[in-house]
Amino acid sequence: MPLPIPGSQVRGSKSGKPIMALLDLLGRTWSLGVIWHLSQGPATFRQLQQRCEQISPSLLNTRLQELKILQLIETQSDGYALTDQGRSLFDIIAPLGQWSKDWAKHLPAGSES
Amino acid sequence: MPLPIPGSQVRGSKSGKPIMALLDLLGRTWSLGVIWHLSQGPATFRQLQQRCEQISPSLLNTRLQELKILQLIETQSDGYALTDQGRSLFDIIAPLGQWSKDWAKHLPAGSES
DNA sequence: AAATCTTGCTACTAAAACAGTAGCAAAGTA
DNA sequence: TACTTTGCTACTGTTTTAGTAGCAAGATTT
């Protein structure tokens, strides 16, 4: 699947509505995870691998390139970091952290941590 | 991949931190899309198929079952609908709509709609 | 009540995405 | 000069998703 660039055809929208491009992007494995972990601060490739337990290096690299082209992250001297745009996206989804804890309390195998 | 239930092992977290379970769930193709489209109001199976251009019925059904078990959606007389919990999740991500439009303006093939 | 249509799916196959592991070239360190 | 670390690439195998066909149950029409 090609990059979900707003304006071009993406999953869920032939016209490439920006929101659909974004949902396509965020709907890929580890996209949200990478952004989430980078919000803790810049990280080198291998540091990110550790923050994201279980991610394979090939996929990590793929995601990093995608997010870089789409200008959510950039490379700095100290590794990968969120761009201003990336941070503004994170600011929106940050409340998911608390939400997920509340959610966990009401679920079948309801445990939390 | 089994359901990402907080507390059990999920992608990105052996301990099943709720946020990781949530990111795993939302990182699956069409999870976010289904929630997004259901926020416009309840829909029958076939209506949802139409709102989500291009989704296959088998995957739609898989996602619906997952989201139902995880209590983000429920079935009502008029079809599928967000639960209160699902709506509270949507309230968090709703600003992505506007964000994505701003984002689109600054991108390579920068178009919008 | 027979035929037709709609709805909510299931079944199947092919294509794509992802995991898991190995390892290499370049840069840094001892 | 040898050894380590870093940022990846390559490869194989499994899992996910797309794409299409169609069926059983209920509603609607004739």
Side-chain angles (χ1 to χ4, degrees):
Chain A
M1 178 83 65
L3 271 176
I5 298 178
S8 63
Q9 210 178 69
V10 300
R11 255 188 320 213
S13 168
K14 301 198 174 177
S15 61
K17 291 201 208 65
I19 183 61
M20 285 303 143
L22 179 61
L23 296 187
D24 182 351
L25 173 68
L26 299 183
R28 298 176 182 202
T29 312
W30 280 112
S31 281
L32 279 166
V34 166
I35 293 170
W36 194 266
H37 286 304
L38 274 183
S39 74
Q40 307 168 205
T44 65
F45 191 91
R46 299 224 172 184
Q47 284 172 334
L48 254 182
Q49 268 189 97
Q50 288 170 350
R51 290 189 194 172
C52 309
E53 318 167 25
Q54 295 170 323
I55 193 175
S56 69
S58 46
L59 181 58
L60 176 56
N61 189 49
T62 301
R63 287 293 169 274
L64 288 172
Q65 300 316 314
E66 289 175 357
L67 293 171
K68 193 146 82 169
I69 292 176
L70 296 174
Q71 301 179 16
L72 298 179
I73 68 174
E74 63 192 353
T75 48
Q76 298 177 340
S77 55
D78 49 356
Y80 292 93
L82 292 180
T83 59
D84 288 343
Q85 232 167 61
R87 198 174 322 279
S88 76
L89 173 60
F90 174 76
D91 288 342
I92 293 178
I93 63 175
L96 292 181
Q98 182 57 47
W99 186 92
S100 67
K101 291 181 189 170
D102 300 338
W103 173 58
K105 292 180 191 153
H106 298 294
L107 279 184
S111 143
E112 68 289 310
S113 74
Chain B
M1 180 80 67
L3 270 178
I5 299 179
S8 63
Q9 209 178 69
V10 299
R11 257 188 320 213
S13 168
K14 301 198 173 177
S15 61
K17 292 202 204 71
I19 182 62
M20 286 302 142
L22 179 61
L23 295 188
D24 182 354
L25 173 67
L26 299 183
R28 298 178 180 200
T29 311
W30 280 114
S31 281
L32 279 166
V34 166
I35 293 170
W36 194 266
H37 286 303
L38 274 184
S39 74
Q40 307 169 205
T44 65
F45 191 91
R46 300 225 171 185
Q47 285 172 332
L48 254 182
Q49 269 189 98
Q50 289 169 348
R51 291 189 193 173
C52 308
E53 318 166 25
Q54 295 168 324
I55 194 174
S56 68
S58 44
L59 182 58
L60 176 56
N61 188 48
T62 300
R63 286 293 169 271
L64 288 172
Q65 299 316 314
E66 290 175 357
L67 293 171
K68 193 146 81 172
I69 292 176
L70 295 174
Q71 301 179 16
L72 298 180
I73 67 174
E74 63 192 354
T75 48
Q76 298 176 339
S77 56
D78 49 357
Y80 292 93
L82 293 179
T83 59
D84 288 343
Q85 232 168 60
R87 199 174 323 279
S88 75
L89 174 60
F90 174 76
D91 288 342
I92 292 179
I93 63 175
L96 292 180
Q98 182 56 47
W99 186 92
S100 67
K101 291 181 189 170
D102 301 337
W103 173 59
K105 290 179 192 155
H106 298 295
L107 278 185
S111 143
E112 69 289 312
S113 73

